[in-house]
Amino acid sequence: MSDAMAILHKLQTGLDVNVKFTGVRVFEYTPECIVFDLLDIPLYHGWLVDPQIADIVKAVGNCSYNQLVEKIISCKQSDNSELVSEGFVAEQFLNNTATQLTYHGLCELTSAVQEGELCVFFRNNHFSTMTKYKGQLYLLVTDQGFLTEEKVVWESLHNVDGDGNFCDSEFHLRPPSDPETVYRGQQDQIDQDYLMALSLQQEQQSQEINWEEIPEGISDLELAKKLQEEEDRRASQYYQEQEQAAAAQVQQVQGAASPASGRQSGSSERKRKEPREKEKEKEKEKEKEKNSCVIL
């Protein structure tokens, strides 16, 4: 639990996972994987070597991505022509599969993911929510360009090029609007999220949760609530710091402009008096109207 808590804050910036090219659920075990294990969330990828291509299988072997990069570097510096050739084959594999998804991996994904299963799909250093509906894989659409596209919810994953079909929540085809209007309302949505973060900040407790004092018999639901509260508190704190930084910049700009505005203070003060006198006259007229009554 303590190891997982040390990792949770990284969810805001990204987790470091290292794929292996032998299976859709094979990753090099890192501390970041603890979060998925603790919450029992399946993690998949589709960057696999086709077992029918013998030279690539030999060059890649059981290496993870990081190990394969190191192997390529060492093979290039070797005097052994066989190792140099093996390093070249491995490098070509990485270049040809830069999308981090192969057709063999896509086939393995389709057979490995269960119908209706909610899982996480890792590709191009991004984590996506994935599910399977009627034998077809779908990724949850989270791109900011679709903030105003209420009908676009899922995107099909049926090829390695990334040009899937967009669907609604019922997995019916829903093509997006014209690209010129996709980003309309994006800033409004960002402002709403910011205000929501501020409201959460007011509801959070002033102190962090002491996880060592949590009883061992706590239920999964109560533990999940505490974890969510802690993450919400940290996110709200981050937005609050950003707001304070922005306010400080505005004050600096206003301070720099104050000498120029001081010369116009006299004329602006005279302009303010005229509207105030008019407001007083309107208030007097309203009081007279209140004192009179009309009989219908």
Side-chain angles (χ1 to χ4, degrees):
M1 179 62 67
S2 60
D3 293 340
M5 287 302 304
I7 298 299
L8 282 181
H9 72 278
K10 294 184 178 180
L11 291 174
Q12 297 179 357
T13 56
L15 298 178
D16 181 19
V17 296
N18 194 14
V19 303
K20 288 192 173 184
F21 307 96
T22 55
V24 292
R25 294 203 63 180
V26 182
F27 293 83
E28 180 183 352
Y29 191 80
T30 59
E32 284 77 1
C33 297
I34 296 176
V35 178
F36 297 97
D37 294 341
L38 179 66
L39 301 177
D40 195 22
I41 299 177
L43 178 62
Y44 293 93
H45 73 91
W47 202 0
L48 300 187
V49 173
D50 191 340
Q52 297 181 354
I53 307 177
D55 56 342
I56 298 180
V57 173
K58 180 182 178 182
V60 175
N62 195 36
C63 294
S64 65
Y65 173 77
N66 292 341
Q67 292 172 345
L68 186 60
V69 172
E70 294 176 357
K71 180 180 179 179
I72 293 173
I73 296 174
S74 61
C75 287
K76 285 184 176 181
Q77 298 174 351
S78 176
D79 296 332
N80 190 331
S81 59
E82 184 177 351
L83 290 177
V84 173
S85 176
E86 192 170 301
F88 176 77
V89 172
E91 186 177 23
Q92 285 295 110
F93 166 74
L94 294 181
N95 293 334
N96 295 336
T97 59
T99 60
Q100 298 187 7
L101 178 65
T102 62
Y103 280 106
H104 174 67
L106 184 59
C107 294
E108 291 294 315
L109 274 174
T110 305
S111 60
V113 178
Q114 302 298 317
E115 183 73 17
E117 178 184 10
L118 276 177
C119 54
V120 174
F121 177 60
F122 178 76
R123 182 185 183 187
N124 290 331
N125 295 326
H126 286 80
F127 295 91
S128 303
T129 301
M130 183 170 64
T131 190
K132 187 177 181 180
Y133 179 74
K134 292 185 177 181
Q136 175 65 53
L137 297 176
Y138 293 90
L139 300 177
L140 187 66
V141 176
T142 57
D143 192 281
Q144 287 188 346
F146 295 93
L147 284 174
T148 59
E149 297 289 332
E150 298 180 357
K151 299 297 183 180
V152 177
V153 180
W154 298 99
E155 181 183 5
S156 63
L157 180 65
H158 59 268
N159 59 45
V160 300
D161 298 326
D163 53 345
N165 299 321
F166 294 102
C167 305
D168 59 12
S169 59
E170 302 297 328
F171 298 97
H172 300 146
L173 288 177
R174 290 286 184 179
S177 303
D178 186 80
E180 296 295 330
T181 61
V182 166
Y183 289 92
R184 185 176 299 171
Q186 174 180 342
Q187 187 61 44
D188 293 339
Q189 181 65 38
I190 294 175
D191 293 340
Q192 291 177 6
D193 294 341
Y194 178 72
L195 294 175
M196 177 63 69
L198 292 179
S199 64
L200 288 174
Q201 172 67 22
Q202 298 175 356
E203 299 175 0
Q204 297 305 317
Q205 298 178 355
S206 59
Q207 297 180 353
E208 294 187 2
I209 299 174
N210 190 350
W211 296 100
E212 296 179 355
E213 297 179 358
I214 295 179
E216 295 182 356
I218 189 173
S219 64
D220 293 341
L221 179 59
E222 293 175 348
L223 180 59
K225 288 181 178 179
K226 289 183 179 295
L227 289 171
Q228 187 62 51
E229 289 174 358
E230 176 66 15
E231 283 305 300
D232 291 342
R233 187 196 63 77
R234 291 183 177 180
S236 300
Q237 183 179 1
Y238 170 78
Y239 283 114
Q240 188 178 32
E241 292 175 354
Q242 294 295 319
E243 182 191 22
Q244 293 175 353
Q249 292 179 356
V250 172
Q251 291 179 356
Q252 291 178 357
V253 174
Q254 291 177 349
S258 59
S261 60
R263 292 192 296 268
Q264 300 176 355
S265 60
S267 59
S268 62
E269 190 67 26
R270 289 193 297 270
K271 292 180 181 178
R272 291 196 191 101
K273 290 182 180 180
E274 295 177 359
R276 289 178 183 174
E277 293 177 354
K278 293 181 180 179
E279 290 178 359
K280 290 181 180 179
E281 293 178 358
K282 290 181 180 179
E283 290 179 357
K284 290 181 180 179
E285 292 177 357
K286 289 182 180 179
E287 290 179 356
K288 292 180 180 179
E289 292 176 357
K290 289 181 180 179
N291 295 331
S292 62
C293 67
V294 178
I295 299 176
L296 299 180

